[in-house]
Amino acid sequence: MSSEGTILDIQGPIVIARLPNARIGEQVKLGSQGLMGEVIAREDDRAIIQVYEITEGLRPGAPASAVGSQLSVELGPGLLGGIFDGLQRPLKTLLEQTGERIERGLMVPAIDRNKRWPFVPGKDLKIGAKVSGSTILGSVLENDSITHRILMPPDVTGELDDLVPAGDYTVDDVIGRVRDTQGNIHKLHLSSRWPVRIPRPFSKRDHALQPLITGQRIMDTFFPLLKGGKGAIPGPFGAGKTVLQQQIARWSDAQIVIYVGCGERGNELTEVLDTFPQLSDPRTGRPLMERTMLVANTSNMPVVAREVSVYVGMTIAEYFRDQGFDVVVVADSTSRWAEALREVSGRLGQMPVEEGYPAYLGSTLSAFYERAGRVETLNGNHGSVTLIGAVSPPGGDFSEPVTSHTKDIIQTFWALSKDLADARHYPAVDWLESFSLFVDVAAKWWHENINEDWMRLRNIALRLLSESEELARIVNLVGVEALSGQQRWTLETSKLIREGLLQQSALEPNDSFCSPRKQFLLLKLMIEIHTRGAEMLKVGMPVQELLRQPLLAKARRWKISYSSEEIEGLEQEGKAIEPIFDALRAEYASPLAKGESAARTGAGPT
Amino acid sequence: MSMLEYRSSAWARGGLLAMRNVPDVALGDRVVVRDHLGRQRSGQVIRSSEELVLIQVFEGTDNIDLERTWVRFLDQPFELALAPEMLGRVFNGVGQSRDGRPPIISRLSRNVNGAALNPAARAYPREFIQTGISTIDGMNTLVRGQKLPVFSGSGLPHNRLAAQIVRQAKLLFHGEGKADSQESFALVFAAMGVSHSDARFFEESFKESGVLGQVVTFINLADDPPIERLILPRVALTCAEYLAFDLDMHVLVVMTDMTYYAEALREIATGKGDVPARKGFPGYLYSDLAEIYERAGRIRGKAGSITMIPVVSMPSDDITHPVPDLTGYITEGQIVLSRELAAANIQPPVAVLPSLSRLMKDGIGEGMTREDHARVASQLFASYAKAQEVRSLAAIIGAEELSEEDNRYLQFADAFEQRFVSQGEHEDRSIFHTLDLAWEVLSLLPKEALTRLSEKDIEARYRSPDSE
Ligand SMILES: Nc1ncnc2c1ncn2[C@@H]1O[C@H](COP(=O)(O)OP(=O)(O)OP(=O)(O)O)[C@@H](O)[C@H]1O
Ligand SMILES: [Mg+2]
């Protein structure tokens, strides 16, 4: 059903049209160019429409027509490796068809209509079989990394009337038919559509069990996020949000990555498009682009499409989740999306609550983050969507509305600090401000797969870091001479942990990705150095001597000296720690002077 | 719609003029407003409904009445005529001649709002531009197609820095690269709300460096109508895009001062009754600034480029003020000037720690600058940050109480500022000279403290200071 009307008022991205019968959420075409928009409110016979495109050139009196459907995305093979705008228009196709600047009023389908995909029907599916939402009808080898499962639309149940044999089909070809309980026939295709603002259904929520391994030490070792979890990266400009999200997109052990560039720089998306095809997944060896999809609404693109872009990304993520994949969505930046909400609400004259944001900011954010999660899908598989949002607080002030609402919603908070970024301590994740609610769950994985000592050592490291914070305060008041030898040693080893473990350069090939084994080994060796050094102080070695040990400078470089594949070299270095300290001990603590036993009882971290 | 003149003004205030009962007007259309003296002003439709059409008048609404003001609707968007003859010319904010010479006539004209560049069409900027300024080249490298603002405060020498960049910026080619002279450069200078003396300073410095014929100037002085500042950068960038992507030129765009631009935006927004976000600026300031800054860049398959150096003054030196803050969120780094360094007579007073170039990583290193560049820069940042801590410690407990190592940090910090940061306004340092200077000051620190450098670097370039 569609209704026709005329435009009455144009003000920036908001248009008012006389459009009786239009429903809220319904899509609308405006003017001779057919600019697309969406009804966000109704008053009398008028519809208030937010327009996804620049409204320049529209005039009162021009036609408006409601098209009957809500904004939806096309889901099927052919999305991976691509870049789409906030309305899921394929940007590479647009580039070929209309040139380097994005024209208005273009509707180009997301998926190539002519490309044929090798479809293999499900082995156990017989004609007459009962099929329902998300039943797997078959599969398509989308690329060498991903076998795309073709699903029943989530909202159809019935009997399979017909299914094509294995062969090559386009997304428009009918691959089968389903007769529902009312006797209606539904045609099946390799692709289907789903409205972006409605979460795709699943059968139930599941516990998240596994950490998402990102290869970033400060994340995996200190503030883990689970597959299916919700995380946020707040930070002032230039603190490293985008780099961290790109690192997650590169190195995390997700099967599918959806990168949503929401109101950020065009060059950052270009960079992903340029570099990802050359990088390979450290686990599968396949080009990263095969598992990656980009949604791009850059900061100079229309603001309403920005608001939509995060939903487009999320809906596509849910679709892959329903196929049984672990999907990661990175959204850079959720603040720009919230600002788009603010802009529209402001133009509607809605009452602002804080800093111009509407009262529904918090509920909109949490409803969106709720779409993340690990679920049992309608077809009985398990899949997950992990959501990681960057937050860009004005002035770097974390008490502003978007950051504070987000903080209440998420489970892992990686707070970036301007001071750390200014000192080029990257990733500039502040270890005192950040938190993860899932260390216990992650610990299970680490203990089973890497080492049982993970939790204990991680906690020691965190304690050293926070102790040293206290000590640094004292030093800043009265100087380092006021500290005891043990305290100076704590200061030194926490510096070692900061530089040798927490700092991780995204640009150094050996350091950009750090395997869990390497992470654990570095952690273990640093705590070992700390412990052994503390013992030496107990047996009388002057702290100045200890600080002069060349081992310390060497240990700072271990992360760079050995890649994740060169773990053995690192293990060798680790084996050398003991003899070094044994030799020192022999020097300082002759059994006559101090006594072996006294030193032994003093073992253990301070 | 015919080009009728209407005299149905409903209200006028703060640069805005509202008209009643003008049918069928397209949003964004250009209008000509004729006041009771017959003087013409240009304007643009920013809201259009059947009852009311709202116009922003670039020359402002001073001296306008409702009864005798006529408005002509041109039924076309705001376009700028483009021709190669624009080089060497001076225009006002709406693109009209300001140098007494005839207007630009051309069959080619473009909408000044531009259209968003498809991210898939962009070429990632990677070519190192040598500015000859150590703090920039060594630690915050500029590349072609980058947008790198200068954050400054009143009385700080941002104009001198911008002029020095304009004078000295050049591309380095190594061996087989195409010859420099084959390429053509242009400068687009967009001045918003600048004083007469600043405008003169720039003009003289362009003249002095012999580039005047390659400069297109768009100027709105401090005593010109502020609303014109809203359209000026768009007009200037439409010209820059033409030079870069139609005429294949490498265009440097200097825009000063974006804070005045934003203040004009705030003025109009307040007049329209837009909901303010922070400090009275409208919530869409971010998107609005992004529409301007994102026009910098490179396009795949095109020879030209737009490199942008906006000057942003920070009211009360506050980097969290909405204009520098939102700018920093959009641009690819920032060069921050410091009042303390200026007071200590370190010129140019670039505060390296809060400064940043995000595109540096792809423009430096082997084959582009020097193999050790990234690590040297990283070490300078780390060591100087540490030295700042030592300085504040020394301020509390006194330098005598410091350890020997800490004392070396103090020496390093002084040498870094005096020898590396500080340089003459006409001193054009090569990147190699800059990096050598960096090693000179880093060598004041013990080797063990230089953990961001590789052992090989240290072996090759560390020079034991004489004092040892
Ligand atoms: N892990 C890292 N390793 C190396 N360099 C980094 C790292 N993180 C950040 N940087 C440096 O910091 C710069 C800024 O980082 P990034 O662009 O991610 O900031 P941001 O927080 O996304 O800023 P904005 O909010 O303005 O987008 C990068 O260009 C890079 O030079
Ligand atoms: Mg970013």
Side-chain angles (χ1 to χ4, degrees):
Chain A
M1 187 201 68
S2 74
S3 56
E4 302 290 327
T6 49
I7 293 175
L8 301 173
D9 186 354
I10 311 122
Q11 188 194 14
I14 300 295
V15 165
I16 300 173
R18 183 170 297 112
L19 201 59
N21 299 320
R23 285 172 289 125
I24 290 182
E26 193 172 357
Q27 289 201 277
V28 178
K29 277 194 173 144
L30 299 166
S32 54
Q33 282 185 292
L35 304 185
M36 294 299 289
E38 167 181 14
V39 178
I40 49 173
R42 283 290 312 272
E43 282 169 17
D44 298 327
D45 63 348
R46 283 166 303 165
I48 295 154
I49 300 155
Q50 57 173 359
V51 188
Y52 307 135
E53 301 184 78
I54 306 281
T55 52
E56 191 180 279
L58 281 183
R59 4 179 142 244
S65 63
V67 303
S69 54
Q70 293 180 305
L71 178 68
S72 63
V73 283
E74 184 170 24
L75 302 166
L79 297 174
L80 295 175
I83 176 168
F84 301 86
D85 76 355
L87 302 176
Q88 210 202 9
R89 294 184 295 196
L91 288 172
K92 286 181 184 162
T93 315
L94 280 189
L95 175 62
E96 285 157 20
Q97 292 184 357
T98 62
E100 62 249 13
R101 301 206 178 254
I102 298 178
E103 314 244 335
R104 295 185 295 162
L106 292 170
M107 266 340 240
V108 179
I111 300 178
D112 185 347
R113 302 339 273 174
N114 300 317
K115 177 151 179 152
R116 295 183 168 275
W117 298 96
F119 173 68
V120 181
K123 270 202 293 292
D124 314 325
L125 268 186
K126 299 273 172 338
I127 302 303
K130 292 247 177 296
V131 288
S132 55
S134 297
T135 300
I136 298 176
L137 298 168
S139 62
V140 159
L141 195 65
E142 178 156 3
N143 57 45
D144 289 337
S145 307
I146 303 292
T147 302
H148 197 114
R149 280 121 201 168
I150 304 302
L151 305 178
M152 281 281 293
D155 48 0
V156 179
T157 303
E159 268 178 24
L160 192 63
D161 235 19
D162 176 20
L163 190 65
V164 294
D168 292 350
Y169 302 93
T170 70
V171 289
D172 288 329
D173 291 335
V174 175
I175 59 153
R177 287 181 181 77
V178 169
R179 182 186 303 272
D180 69 19
T181 39
Q182 274 90 48
N184 300 322
I185 300 287
H186 298 260
K187 287 184 192 156
L188 303 173
H189 303 271
L190 289 182
S191 78
S192 56
R193 299 197 73 89
W194 189 262
V196 299
R197 297 199 195 270
I198 300 176
R200 279 174 67 95
F202 47 82
S203 83
K204 66 178 199 311
R205 278 188 188 274
D206 250 341
H207 291 295
L209 298 173
Q210 284 198 358
L212 179 79
I213 298 299
T214 63
Q216 309 305 303
R217 292 182 290 267
I218 185 84
M219 297 184 143
D220 298 348
T221 298
F222 291 96
F223 305 105
L225 178 65
L226 301 185
K227 285 181 181 150
K230 308 174 268 195
I233 310 178
F237 64 79
K241 300 178 289 296
T242 304
V243 171
L244 217 44
Q245 288 195 316
Q246 290 189 352
Q247 288 293 83
I248 294 168
R250 282 193 188 113
W251 307 130
S252 74
D253 62 347
Q255 291 162 299
I256 305 280
V257 173
I258 315 266
Y259 186 108
V260 185
C262 173
E264 294 289 311
R265 303 171 186 82
N267 277 332
E268 290 173 348
L269 294 153
T270 311
E271 184 183 8
V272 175
L273 285 177
D274 273 9
T275 55
F276 274 38
Q278 264 106 58
L279 294 170
S280 51
D281 185 327
R283 292 162 200 89
T284 64
R286 301 293 314 164
L288 276 181
M289 208 60 207
E290 290 183 349
R291 67 166 202 188
T292 311
M293 200 204 89
L294 305 178
V295 179
N297 175 282
T298 55
S299 56
N300 54 340
M301 291 185 189
V303 67
V304 175
R306 178 172 314 160
E307 193 263 333
V308 175
S309 64
V310 294
Y311 291 98
V312 167
M314 179 50 89
T315 308
I316 296 170
E318 288 173 343
Y319 168 68
F320 282 105
R321 172 202 70 192
D322 290 348
Q323 297 175 42
F325 290 115
D326 288 318
V327 187
V328 165
V329 178
V330 291
D332 186 12
S333 155
T334 58
S335 295
R336 306 302 165 219
W337 160 48
E339 285 165 13
L341 279 182
R342 172 172 72 184
E343 177 159 355
V344 170
S345 90
R347 303 247 186 198
L348 296 181
Q350 285 164 346
M351 194 56 181
V353 247
E354 319 155 84
E355 302 200 5
Y357 286 103
Y360 50 80
L361 172 71
S363 58
T364 308
L365 281 173
S366 64
F368 179 69
Y369 273 95
E370 269 311 291
R371 290 177 72 168
R374 182 166 182 269
V375 304
E376 186 182 315
T377 62
L378 292 179
N379 56 35
N381 279 322
H382 296 273
S384 66
V385 174
T386 310
L387 175 59
I388 299 161
V391 187
S392 316
D397 169 11
F398 285 6
S399 68
E400 62 92 35
V402 182
T403 316
S404 57
H405 282 298
T406 306
K407 194 172 177 178
D408 292 341
I409 298 165
I410 49 77
Q411 300 147 335
T412 302
F413 192 70
W414 294 297
L416 301 191
S417 125
K418 178 165 168 39
D419 288 343
L420 289 175
D422 280 358
R424 269 55 175 180
H425 172 113
Y426 296 125
V429 176
D430 183 329
W431 48 93
L432 298 177
E433 286 277 305
S434 302
F435 63 81
S436 163
L437 303 181
F438 284 126
V439 180
D440 290 343
V441 185
K444 259 184 100 166
W445 182 90
W446 283 90
H447 293 166
E448 277 164 22
N449 292 279
I450 306 293
N451 193 295
E452 292 175 345
D453 230 9
W454 180 80
M455 186 70 142
R456 189 180 71 87
L457 294 177
R458 168 194 177 275
N459 289 348
I460 294 174
L462 277 177
R463 202 178 62 228
L464 286 174
L465 288 168
S466 78
E467 267 176 32
S468 76
E469 213 77 17
E470 266 310 307
L471 297 175
R473 250 193 292 277
I474 299 175
V475 171
N476 281 337
L477 287 178
V478 286
V480 77
E481 301 303 329
L483 298 186
S484 72
Q486 288 289 354
Q487 288 172 322
R488 287 186 65 180
W489 180 237
T490 296
L491 216 47
E492 181 66 20
T493 48
S494 77
K495 201 167 116 200
L496 173 62
I497 291 170
R498 286 203 307 268
E499 293 178 16
L501 191 65
L502 300 187
Q503 272 180 21
Q504 184 172 1
S505 169
L507 309 175
E508 283 284 342
N510 274 356
D511 202 25
S512 187
F513 168 78
C514 186
S515 71
R517 276 186 63 205
K518 182 177 162 189
Q519 296 191 28
F520 177 77
L521 199 52
L522 285 171
L523 171 69
K524 181 177 140 220
L525 299 184
M526 285 174 192
I527 302 296
E528 185 176 337
I529 291 174
H530 173 79
T531 315
R532 295 299 307 256
E535 280 172 28
M536 293 312 300
L537 296 175
K538 289 232 171 70
V539 299
M541 181 171 175
V543 69
Q544 289 83 350
E545 289 297 310
L546 197 52
L547 299 183
R548 262 200 285 280
Q549 290 306 309
L551 176 66
L552 292 170
K554 215 164 164 201
R556 283 196 177 87
R557 291 208 185 86
W558 281 341
K559 59 178 185 185
I560 310 249
S561 311
Y562 303 97
S563 74
S564 294
E565 285 78 46
E566 297 161 348
I567 280 284
E568 295 71 31
L570 192 52
E571 274 164 351
Q572 289 306 319
E573 297 273 8
K575 292 210 181 92
I577 296 177
E578 195 164 311
I580 290 173
F581 280 100
D582 284 351
L584 288 175
R585 173 191 288 271
E587 192 177 325
Y588 284 97
S590 63
L592 295 173
K594 289 279 150 124
E596 194 84 348
S597 57
R600 275 287 141 89
T601 48
T606 52
Chain B
M1 194 186 77
S2 59
M3 284 227 285
L4 285 179
E5 285 204 323
Y6 290 84
R7 203 191 54 171
S8 51
S9 307
W11 53 261
R13 73 172 99 87
L16 292 168
L17 175 64
M19 307 286 296
R20 249 194 294 271
N21 301 324
V22 191
D24 211 18
V25 175
L27 191 76
D29 267 6
R30 197 169 183 170
V31 304
V32 175
V33 177
R34 196 157 50 82
D35 64 22
H36 63 280
L37 298 171
R39 274 204 329 235
Q40 298 203 341
R41 311 176 191 213
S42 48
Q44 190 173 20
V45 175
I46 56 173
R47 175 173 186 178
S48 178
S49 71
E50 285 178 331
E51 298 81 45
L52 204 77
V53 169
L54 195 59
I55 294 162
Q56 77 188 3
V57 184
F58 295 120
E59 287 84 347
T61 43
D62 278 0
N63 213 7
I64 271 189
D65 62 25
L66 300 183
E67 295 73 16
R68 292 170 297 170
T69 298
W70 289 85
V71 177
R72 187 157 43 128
F73 290 84
L74 303 183
D75 200 24
Q76 62 186 39
F78 205 111
E79 291 189 336
L80 181 70
L82 296 160
E85 295 77 58
M86 295 176 98
L87 288 166
R89 297 287 309 272
V90 182
F91 304 96
N92 70 5
V94 293
Q96 292 161 340
S97 167
R98 211 185 149 125
D99 52 11
R101 289 158 65 189
I104 298 292
I105 310 277
S106 171
R107 304 245 299 272
L108 178 69
S109 62
R110 290 219 175 100
N111 189 319
V112 298
N113 285 333
L117 200 55
N118 185 335
R122 283 184 187 268
Y124 194 69
R126 325 178 164 268
E127 289 163 289
F128 168 63
I129 297 179
Q130 180 178 295
T131 65
I133 299 164
S134 291
T135 44
I136 298 180
D137 295 350
M139 303 176 75
N140 298 287
T141 316
L142 176 68
V143 299
R144 247 185 198 172
Q146 184 171 12
K147 36 190 182 292
L148 188 65
V150 177
F151 287 5
S152 185
S154 53
L156 291 178
H158 43 268
N159 289 342
R160 291 182 179 279
L161 183 67
Q164 188 171 2
I165 294 173
V166 168
R167 230 175 9 246
Q168 300 181 169
K170 58 174 112 19
L171 223 42
L172 276 199
F173 285 101
H174 287 271
E176 349 82 83
K178 36 190 166 151
D180 213 348
S181 55
Q182 299 283 304
E183 308 196 306
S184 47
F185 295 87
L187 176 72
V188 170
F189 179 58
M192 292 155 277
V194 298
S195 67
H196 286 262
S197 66
D198 285 351
R200 200 167 328 110
F201 165 78
F202 274 106
E203 197 192 324
E204 272 160 18
S205 97
F206 299 154
K207 203 180 285 169
E208 179 194 325
S209 43
V211 296
L212 210 49
Q214 294 301 106
V215 184
V216 192
T217 300
F218 296 88
I219 201 158
N220 168 283
L221 291 170
D223 50 2
D224 286 333
I227 312 300
E228 195 184 271
R229 293 167 201 163
L230 290 181
I231 199 89
L232 187 143
R234 294 178 165 80
V235 167
L237 284 162
T238 304
C239 172
E241 284 172 351
Y242 166 71
L243 297 174
F245 304 125
D246 290 43
L247 303 188
D248 291 342
M249 303 180 96
H250 291 288
V251 185
L252 186 65
V253 180
V254 174
M255 302 196 291
T256 180
D257 177 326
M258 291 305 290
T259 301
Y260 297 136
Y261 166 83
E263 283 169 1
L265 187 75
R266 173 168 65 183
E267 192 176 327
I268 284 289
T270 314
K272 283 195 293 182
D274 291 336
V275 181
R278 284 177 69 223
K279 298 221 160 132
F281 289 96
Y284 51 82
L285 178 61
Y286 175 83
S287 305
D288 189 278
L289 288 173
E291 282 171 15
I292 294 172
Y293 295 138
E294 277 288 303
R295 290 171 83 166
R298 305 212 60 170
I299 298 179
R300 256 198 270 161
K302 301 239 169 172
S305 63
I306 296 181
T307 307
M308 200 186 275
I309 305 201
V311 173
V312 181
S313 61
M314 305 182 282
S316 327
D317 291 350
D318 177 11
I319 197 170
T320 69
H321 180 278
V323 183
D325 187 51
L326 295 178
T327 297
Y329 272 119
I330 302 163
T331 52
E332 286 142 351
Q334 65 280 336
I335 303 294
V336 182
L337 299 190
S338 138
R339 203 166 288 284
E340 282 107 68
L341 288 179
N345 205 22
I346 309 284
Q347 296 290 349
V350 175
V352 293
L353 294 182
S355 299
L356 170 71
S357 164
R358 297 163 195 248
L359 300 184
M360 173 170 182
K361 59 185 196 302
D362 295 292
I364 62 169
E366 183 99 68
M368 293 171 285
T369 55
R370 202 168 80 185
E371 195 269 329
D372 58 335
H373 190 162
R375 294 184 300 277
V376 169
S378 169
Q379 186 65 62
L380 284 174
F381 280 119
S383 301
Y384 189 56
K386 161 87 185 165
Q388 297 289 39
E389 279 174 30
V390 174
R391 271 186 177 165
S392 43
L393 180 59
I396 296 162
I397 61 169
E400 321 75 56
E401 298 291 313
L402 292 178
S403 68
E404 193 206 311
E405 183 177 329
D406 283 354
N407 267 309
R408 290 176 74 165
Y409 272 102
L410 289 186
Q411 285 170 26
F412 161 78
D414 291 340
F416 174 76
E417 289 167 3
Q418 301 293 343
R419 306 229 288 275
F420 187 88
V421 178
S422 168
Q423 75 182 79
E425 215 177 320
H426 289 269
E427 187 182 349
D428 188 357
R429 293 179 185 160
S430 81
I431 180 62
F432 307 106
H433 183 190
T434 289
L435 291 173
D436 289 345
L437 273 177
W439 274 102
E440 204 179 302
V441 295
L442 284 172
S443 296
L444 293 170
L445 293 170
K447 283 181 192 171
E448 305 75 59
L450 305 179
T451 51
R452 305 250 176 139
L453 294 163
S454 73
E455 275 154 4
K456 254 172 56 201
D457 293 334
I458 294 182
E459 213 170 291
R461 304 195 189 266
Y462 185 85
R463 298 176 248 174
S464 269
D466 310 336
S467 56
E468 262 197 6

